[in-house]
Amino acid sequence: MAERLITINTVNLNNNCPECFSTKGLQLTFKQRFIETSFYKSITREVSTEMNCTVCNTPIYPARWTNDIERVFEYQMKAFQPKKASKKYKSLFWILIIACIAVITAVIGLVVYKL
């Protein structure tokens, strides 16, 4: 089972970076969990966020956020629209389902025929 986070949206912020104090490089990235197995692909509701500064190449953790950054983060969270949670079954899943139905039908047919 392969789980990964796919980037849904990246927002450039005009706030000062708490590390280098630049107003040009702060980015907030929204990611959503994507699961892929042999039987299905799924996008979950789980959303995670990352904040990075592209000027000093530093991740900005919530402990370093200023009040202004927190306000902008809360606003962006309200404005963010994640992808709908979905599940798509692959061909192998459908082949196994059809094979199981065929075996059950054959067993029922043999039982009825023997009676």
Side-chain angles (χ1 to χ4, degrees):
M1 182 164 88
E3 291 187 20
R4 63 177 192 241
L5 295 172
I6 54 173
T7 301
I8 304 298
N9 192 12
T10 300
V11 180
N12 293 320
L13 305 178
N14 290 328
N15 295 72
N16 290 340
C17 170
E19 298 294 326
C20 68
F21 304 106
S22 171
T23 59
K24 302 278 186 219
L26 213 52
Q27 287 186 335
L28 178 62
T29 304
F30 295 95
K31 295 183 177 191
Q32 203 163 356
R33 183 166 304 282
F34 176 76
I35 301 171
E36 184 171 5
T37 67
S38 300
F39 299 110
Y40 67 89
K41 292 180 182 180
S42 176
I43 296 176
T44 65
R45 289 187 192 180
E46 185 179 333
V47 175
S48 66
T49 59
E50 292 178 358
M51 191 175 298
N52 294 310
C53 179
T54 57
V55 174
C56 62
N57 295 322
T58 307
I60 310 300
Y61 298 107
R64 297 280 301 155
W65 291 0
T66 63
N67 290 336
D68 293 336
I69 292 174
E70 286 182 22
R71 277 194 296 265
V72 170
F73 175 78
E74 289 172 11
Y75 172 79
Q76 293 296 335
M77 285 298 290
K78 288 179 184 176
F80 174 66
Q81 295 292 324
K83 290 187 176 187
K84 273 181 26 179
S86 65
K87 187 177 280 191
K88 181 181 179 201
Y89 295 103
K90 292 183 174 183
S91 300
L92 180 61
F93 173 81
W94 294 114
I95 290 169
L96 288 175
I97 293 293
I98 291 170
C100 287
I101 291 171
V103 168
I104 291 170
T105 305
V107 168
I108 291 172
L110 287 174
V111 169
V112 170
Y113 180 71
K114 295 285 183 180
L115 294 177

